[in-house]
Amino acid sequence: MLLAILRATLFLPWCLALPVPPTTDLKGWEFVKDYFHRFFMTKKDSPLLTQGEQLRFLQQFFRLNVTGLLDKQTLAVLHQPRCGVPDVASYSVFPESLKWNEHILTYRIINYPYGLKRSTVKGIVRAAVSIWSSVTPLVFEEVENQDANIRMSFWTLDHGDGLPFDGPGGVLGHAFLPYSTRPGVIHFDKDEYWSSSYKGVNLFLVATHELGHALGLYHSGNPNSIMYPTYEYQDPLTFHLSLEDIQRIQDLYGRK
């Protein structure tokens, strides 16, 4: 069923803009193939999809010119730092029905990244949870030294959950949906240069994204959504959720 859904998307109308000149870099094609199998469908689940179909699907998901040509624009998008949660859930036949059944949620910061004070991290996380509570009835309470609904921590490389990190510049973090195998768990790659500004990777933006997953949201193909899988800096002081983000989270938890 999932393979049929992915194949069906390949016959939707394509953008008619002229493509960026293609590259014949074999390493580039290998990267695309590995990217597709890592974030969309495993080799076992997609034995019949051709290389061109995989590339067109990626181009459509990221709202690029769907040409089937491996151009520089496509490679640039696929090389951006991103969330490690697979994107294929956006095309799942199952509705976004996983959510917390309570409106008061506790959260805990288990450990901290290099280079940021504990007080700074706490303030960043407090701002991130307020983004979601500002448009829903959700109330977030920080706890110390006890279990919590949402648990945030920083790890390097293989850290025991089957989703190893890859060092600076690759996967920034990942999270588990409510009532999944590790409900509410959020992991950040400790090897990233985390910051509260435009330098390195802004922790507020990534934390807001991963909190979206922990609350029950999958990725969005809308570049204006905080749930878009790749990272792009925005000023935290002027940041706001897109209309799509608000609609999706309110579909789960209702309005403020």
Side-chain angles (χ1 to χ4, degrees):
M1 175 64 75
L2 184 54
L3 180 59
I5 293 172
L6 291 180
R7 281 205 164 213
T9 64
L10 299 175
F11 296 98
L12 296 176
W14 305 131
C15 175
L16 298 179
L18 293 176
V20 177
T23 176
T24 56
D25 182 7
L26 293 179
K27 289 184 178 180
W29 278 107
E30 283 298 312
F31 174 80
V32 169
K33 182 172 65 175
D34 292 342
Y35 190 101
F36 182 85
H37 290 318
R38 182 176 185 185
F39 297 114
F40 288 87
M41 291 185 72
T42 65
K43 294 179 181 179
K44 180 180 178 181
D45 292 332
S46 59
L48 301 179
L49 284 180
T50 67
Q51 185 171 259
E53 287 174 328
Q54 293 175 7
L55 180 59
R56 285 193 292 273
F57 183 83
L58 292 173
Q59 289 171 329
Q60 185 190 24
F61 179 84
F62 287 105
R63 303 192 182 186
L64 304 171
N65 297 331
V66 184
T67 63
L69 301 176
L70 183 54
D71 53 58
K72 294 180 180 178
Q73 181 187 32
T74 301
L75 278 176
V77 170
L78 298 184
H79 275 97
Q80 288 179 331
R82 59 158 292 149
C83 171
V85 174
D87 299 309
V88 74
S90 298
Y91 292 88
S92 172
V93 296
F94 301 103
E96 289 185 351
S97 58
L98 294 177
K99 65 177 183 178
W100 298 99
N101 288 329
E102 58 257 56
H103 283 168
I104 299 178
L105 300 177
T106 56
Y107 70 91
R108 178 185 173 191
I109 306 170
I110 296 174
N111 62 9
Y112 294 82
Y114 307 118
L116 286 177
K117 296 179 179 179
R118 290 169 62 100
S119 59
T120 300
V121 174
K122 284 179 175 290
I124 289 172
V125 172
R126 193 157 47 244
V129 297
S130 71
I131 288 294
W132 296 109
S133 65
S134 68
V135 294
T136 66
L138 294 173
V139 176
F140 294 91
E141 297 180 353
E142 184 179 5
V143 298
E144 302 272 358
N145 302 319
Q146 66 185 71
D147 197 18
N149 299 111
I150 297 172
R151 300 172 300 286
M152 306 178 188
S153 53
F154 294 79
W155 304 95
T156 61
L157 304 176
D158 188 349
H159 50 284
D161 63 1
L163 298 171
F165 288 128
D166 50 11
V171 170
L172 305 176
H174 51 241
F176 295 83
L177 275 69
Y179 300 98
S180 63
T181 56
R182 296 169 180 254
V185 169
I186 297 176
H187 291 158
F188 301 98
D189 188 347
K190 200 169 186 176
D191 282 333
E192 301 293 341
Y193 173 46
W194 296 103
S195 81
S196 57
S197 68
Y198 64 89
K199 298 179 181 179
V201 180
N202 185 276
L203 180 57
F204 165 80
L205 297 173
V206 179
T208 302
H209 176 101
E210 300 303 344
L211 277 164
H213 287 313
L215 294 176
L217 296 181
Y218 295 121
H219 279 150
S220 168
N222 179 0
N224 295 321
S225 168
I226 191 60
M227 298 313 296
Y228 194 64
T230 63
Y231 171 84
E232 184 175 352
Y233 176 75
Q234 302 178 60
D235 186 346
L237 295 179
T238 57
F239 172 83
H240 57 83
L241 294 174
S242 70
L243 292 178
E244 178 187 294
D245 296 323
I246 295 172
Q247 181 64 55
R248 291 176 69 205
I249 198 65
Q250 288 181 346
D251 285 346
L252 291 178
Y253 295 103
R255 299 183 177 220
K256 180 75 173 175

